Amino acid sequence: RRQRALELIEKVGLLEHKNQKASKLSGGEKQRAVIARALAKDCPIIVADEPTGNLDSASGAKVMQLLHEISEGKLVVVVTHDYDQVKDFATRKIKMHDGEIVEDKKIKKTIAYEEKNTIVKKSMHFLTLLRFTFRSLFSTPKRLIFLIMMQMLMMIAFTFIFSFRVSVIRDSEVTQSSRFPNVPETRVLVERKDGLDFTSVDLDYFNSIPYVSKVYENGLSFYNSLPLYIFTDDTTYSDGVSHTYFYSNFNVAGTDAAGTLSTSQITGALPVATNEIIIGDSVGDFQVGETIRLGSSSNYINPTIDDFIGIFTITGIHREQSHIVYFSDAFLNNSNVDRYTINDEEKNQLLDQAYAWTGTTGYLSYYYNQDLSGRRMNLYGDGDPTLIYRETKDMTFIGYFINYTTHQQTQLTVILSNIDIYSNTTSNIYSGEFSDAILQELQDVVLQELEYMYKIENRVVVSLSVKGLNNGEKTINAIDPEIYRTIYPANIPNPSAAFNTFIQGLFTGILMLIVGLLLYSIVHAVTKNVMQSRKKDFAIFRSIGTSKATLARLVVLEQIAIAGLSASLMLVILFVVSSNVPAIYRIIQYMEFGNYVTLVIFFLFFGGWLGLRFNKRVFKQSVIESIVSSKEESA
């Protein structure tokens, strides 16, 4: 085909312009290029309608000489208003007037011509068609780049919206464990089922899991089990007697390792020392260089340094996260972690509840009175309000205590001896009050008897850092369940979310349909205009003998190729961006290989469908109609 094309180009005298675009040729050269196209089809008859129109006399003479040479092997019919241009070449003259032939005469004798074998048309091989498709696409790089970028942006938008809705549905199906409030979705806890300490073999095994970013041997250093609170210098209050810390409206939603962050994710620097920390603060309440205290109670009265978990200096702010604190590796690698952790918040709540008790009958209410001294109780009932000493005896106190984390209620009965009773009556006692000494005894008993409510036994665990819930689930599935027990507190099934999940799924389906139609209308409108500009090109292909079927397949393959290139570029961009931007990863983390394959197939099908729709438009016209309409549209 290439050799034949060069022969025709040489025949019409354009060989020196073979690498030039047709649009850059002169008028006479364009006419000769058109003649070459007509010759390419190798038809026995060529009809030339005003072939020298709009040409100067010299160019017109060259075109007529060329047609004369062609007539040696073909019948050339020239339609013209200027007979003088063809009189030296014409062998037969047919004159028409008002649609009727008024003259028909032979001017010259024709030489008998032996008809050649008819060229048999063959369908183009698929690989040849595919190669031609890509050559056609890359012959107009600007248009190709425009279409690829446009479709790629549409694909990314559709993928982002789809994956975001999937993540919303998946997140609504799980809830946070109250037992481990400080373990976000980026951490998985693992313990050995036999209770033994972890060895280097265990740690190497965890590091070999492809979904694990980093392994922290001393998982207890993250304070997984305690609600944590942040205190700043302006969260203190002093009344001259006591100095109280109130937390800064910033309860910690999770603890994580600063070693999993990059400098691009934070404002400031990564922590290095044990007392350095990063805070996830999207609001801007904290500043780099500020000093904070971290504790397990919402308030402290006259605390010592040891009452807090630690005093830290903020070295960086993570603006994309909120209420997450990130410890340095120096802090997390500290192996001196107590076997038990005191939940100061729960402990203080128990002590607060110890200020009120009831008597044995259940109708008496006893309350603490700080003005009473010694081991004294005042009992009140009907009669004169004057209190007098009655007796010294043993008293029974009944208290009801609630664990506000588990909502478990416990009844505690305490008998204290040698209580000095003062009362205004000997009968019908309704209420009483007790002194500070009695309160201290009662609180000591409460702390001893209800120790399990605030004293947490730390389970020896390893903390595995993962990118998100999806990688966390894969990590759990990859760990050997015969040896290890995995704990993923951020991924506890939420049985109450079934209805919400259904509504979210229904909304997602409707939303994706609307988004799909919107994006389709944009792509279709743009592609339609681009393809409209190519009608003349396709008309030329048809004029040189390309069959409708071959050209139709070419159009479909072009659209599929554009969709394929766009989808490939989309996948590369999503992979690179999600690997470096955690916020993007969290959006598309649930997109699995199968999901991408499904989307790519959908995009390819969509591209092919666009091609089929265009075929219906362009092929409903004849070649001449296509050329004429394209000329009119370009004009």
Side-chain angles (χ1 to χ4, degrees):
R1 287 190 296 270
R2 179 177 179 81
Q3 181 181 354
R4 173 62 175 160
L6 289 174
E7 290 174 356
L8 294 173
I9 291 173
E10 184 176 15
K11 190 169 186 176
V12 298
L14 294 177
L15 191 59
E16 62 182 14
H17 302 292
K18 64 183 178 68
N19 294 323
Q20 196 168 341
K21 290 185 177 181
S23 60
K24 302 298 182 181
L25 298 176
S26 66
E29 290 168 345
K30 287 180 179 179
Q31 285 289 55
R32 281 186 275 167
V34 171
I35 293 173
R37 291 172 186 162
L39 293 176
K41 196 171 184 178
D42 203 22
C43 293
I45 301 174
I46 292 179
V47 178
D49 185 8
E50 297 286 0
T52 60
N54 300 322
L55 298 180
D56 57 65
S57 57
S59 297
K62 289 180 181 179
V63 169
M64 292 309 304
Q65 181 62 38
L66 178 59
L67 291 175
H68 175 63
E69 294 172 1
I70 293 170
S71 67
E72 292 179 359
K74 298 179 183 296
L75 170 62
V76 178
V77 179
V78 178
V79 180
T80 180
H81 288 83
D82 187 0
Y83 176 70
D84 290 339
Q85 284 190 326
V86 298
K87 66 181 180 179
D88 294 334
F89 308 108
T91 58
R92 181 177 178 180
K93 177 183 178 183
I94 302 175
K95 186 176 180 180
M96 300 186 70
H97 182 74
D98 290 339
E100 295 182 357
I101 296 175
V102 297
E103 182 183 359
D104 184 359
K105 64 179 180 179
K106 292 183 179 181
I107 301 172
K108 297 179 182 179
K109 290 184 178 181
T110 58
I111 301 174
Y113 177 72
E114 184 178 350
E115 186 177 352
K116 296 180 181 180
N117 294 330
T118 304
I119 296 176
V120 179
K121 290 185 178 181
K122 297 180 180 179
S123 60
M124 190 178 291
H125 192 275
F126 176 76
L127 292 179
T128 304
L129 182 62
L130 189 63
R131 185 169 64 250
F132 186 72
T133 297
F134 281 100
R135 290 184 64 181
S136 174
L137 288 174
F138 286 101
S139 66
T140 53
K142 291 182 180 179
R143 181 177 64 196
L144 177 62
I145 292 173
F146 171 75
L147 290 174
I148 289 177
M149 295 301 294
M150 183 266 300
Q151 290 202 22
M152 181 200 68
L153 292 176
M154 297 299 106
M155 291 176 182
I156 290 178
F158 186 86
T159 303
F160 263 41
I161 296 173
F162 173 73
S163 56
F164 173 74
R165 291 305 309 168
V166 171
S167 66
V168 169
I169 294 174
R170 295 289 295 273
D171 291 348
S172 68
E173 296 174 346
V174 297
T175 186
Q176 180 73 36
S177 167
S178 59
R179 173 67 176 83
F180 298 97
N182 287 333
V183 184
E185 64 180 37
T186 52
R187 292 200 295 117
V188 175
L189 306 181
V190 183
E191 62 182 0
R192 289 185 61 97
K193 284 189 172 181
D194 56 17
L196 299 178
D197 292 336
F198 290 97
T199 65
S200 59
V201 176
D202 296 317
L203 301 180
D204 291 340
Y205 170 71
F206 298 139
N207 275 307
S208 68
I209 298 175
Y211 314 109
V212 175
S213 304
K214 202 165 184 179
V215 177
Y216 287 90
E217 180 179 0
N218 301 311
L220 298 180
S221 298
F222 287 93
Y223 290 88
N224 304 307
S225 304
L226 296 178
L228 299 181
Y229 303 89
I230 290 178
F231 303 87
T232 59
D233 291 338
D234 58 0
T235 58
T236 61
Y237 169 77
S238 177
D239 58 4
V241 178
S242 62
H243 191 71
T244 305
Y245 277 84
F246 296 98
Y247 83 103
S248 58
N249 295 322
F250 194 98
N251 58 304
V252 176
T255 57
D256 212 337
T260 62
L261 302 177
S262 64
T263 54
S264 62
Q265 296 176 254
I266 63 172
T267 301
L270 294 172
V272 177
T274 303
N275 65 331
E276 293 179 338
I277 200 171
I278 286 179
I279 289 185
D281 177 21
S282 59
V283 179
D285 291 334
F286 297 96
Q287 303 296 324
V288 174
E290 187 175 359
T291 299
I292 64 168
R293 288 171 170 81
L294 198 61
S296 60
S297 176
S298 59
N299 62 82
Y300 289 92
I301 301 176
N302 295 325
T304 64
I305 294 179
D306 293 336
D307 289 330
F308 296 102
I309 290 175
I311 300 177
F312 300 89
T313 299
I314 300 175
T315 63
I317 305 293
H318 194 330
R319 298 294 184 188
E320 296 177 6
Q321 288 291 353
S322 183
H323 293 243
I324 304 291
V325 296
Y326 298 86
F327 295 114
S328 66
D329 281 1
F331 180 90
L332 296 174
N333 290 331
N334 179 19
S335 59
N336 298 322
V337 180
D338 292 335
R339 182 67 177 174
Y340 293 91
T341 301
I342 302 300
N343 186 339
D344 289 326
E345 182 74 6
E346 196 65 47
K347 178 180 176 181
N348 291 338
Q349 288 174 350
L350 289 176
L351 294 177
D352 288 341
Q353 294 177 71
Y355 281 76
W357 297 74
T358 61
T360 54
T361 62
Y363 297 104
L364 301 181
S365 298
Y366 303 150
Y367 298 96
Y368 165 67
N369 185 341
Q370 62 180 354
D371 295 329
L372 299 182
S373 60
R375 296 175 59 77
R376 173 173 172 169
M377 283 191 69
N378 293 338
L379 302 180
Y380 298 97
D382 296 332
D384 190 329
T386 304
L387 295 171
I388 61 173
Y389 171 75
R390 296 293 183 184
E391 59 182 320
T392 298
K393 68 173 185 176
D394 298 342
M395 291 291 292
T396 300
F397 296 82
I398 301 174
Y400 298 92
F401 299 88
I402 299 175
N403 184 314
Y404 288 98
T405 301
T406 63
H407 303 288
Q408 174 187 359
Q409 180 173 297
T410 302
Q411 178 180 318
L412 189 63
T413 300
V414 180
I415 300 176
L416 297 183
S417 60
N418 299 322
I419 304 297
D420 296 329
I421 305 299
Y422 289 77
S423 178
N424 65 342
T425 182
T426 58
S427 61
N428 297 325
I429 297 175
Y430 303 133
S431 63
E433 52 189 17
F434 50 85
S435 66
D436 184 70
I438 297 175
L439 173 65
Q440 295 301 319
E441 286 192 56
L442 291 174
Q443 288 183 334
D444 289 342
V445 174
V446 169
L447 293 181
Q448 181 178 352
E449 295 295 327
L450 303 182
E451 182 182 64
Y452 66 91
M453 284 193 179
Y454 64 90
K455 191 173 183 180
I456 301 173
E457 181 180 3
N458 293 324
R459 297 154 66 172
V460 179
V461 295
V462 164
S463 180
L464 308 181
S465 293
V466 295
K467 279 190 172 183
L469 282 172
N470 194 36
N471 271 18
E473 292 177 359
K474 292 178 180 178
T475 299
I476 292 175
N477 295 330
I479 293 177
D480 187 354
E482 298 296 327
I483 303 176
Y484 307 101
R485 180 181 292 107
T486 56
I487 307 167
Y488 198 12
N491 193 35
I492 304 300
N494 185 6
S496 63
F499 178 75
N500 182 50
T501 301
F502 170 77
I503 297 298
Q504 292 282 3
L506 182 62
F507 174 75
T508 298
I510 297 173
L511 177 65
M512 295 316 300
L513 179 61
I514 295 174
V515 170
L517 291 175
L518 176 62
L519 296 180
Y520 159 74
S521 63
I522 296 174
V523 174
H524 180 266
V526 174
T527 306
K528 176 184 175 183
N529 290 331
V530 172
M531 296 298 282
Q532 192 75 11
S533 67
R534 300 188 62 196
K535 286 176 65 176
K536 185 177 179 180
D537 297 337
F538 292 121
I540 291 172
F541 287 147
R542 292 173 66 188
S543 72
I544 62 175
T546 306
S547 66
K548 284 185 179 181
T550 299
L551 196 55
R553 288 196 293 268
L554 172 67
V555 173
V556 173
L557 280 177
E558 280 189 359
Q559 293 304 310
I560 293 176
I562 291 173
L565 292 172
S566 303
S568 300
L569 188 59
M570 175 198 72
L571 294 177
V572 172
I573 291 176
L574 288 180
F575 175 77
V576 173
V577 173
S578 63
S579 299
N580 296 278
V581 183
I584 299 298
Y585 172 79
R586 283 192 292 273
I587 294 177
I588 64 173
Q589 63 175 316
Y590 293 109
M591 293 294 293
E592 301 289 349
F593 177 77
N595 300 124
Y596 285 118
V597 170
T598 301
L599 279 178
V600 170
I601 291 175
F602 171 76
F603 294 143
L604 294 178
F605 174 81
F606 175 71
W609 188 56
L610 280 178
L612 291 174
R613 284 182 60 84
F614 178 74
N615 286 340
K616 289 183 178 180
R617 286 178 172 271
V618 73
F619 294 133
K620 70 181 181 181
Q621 294 179 319
S622 66
V623 177
I624 299 300
E625 287 173 333
S626 296
I627 294 176
V628 172
S629 64
S630 63
K631 284 183 177 180
E632 293 174 347
E633 290 166 2
S634 62

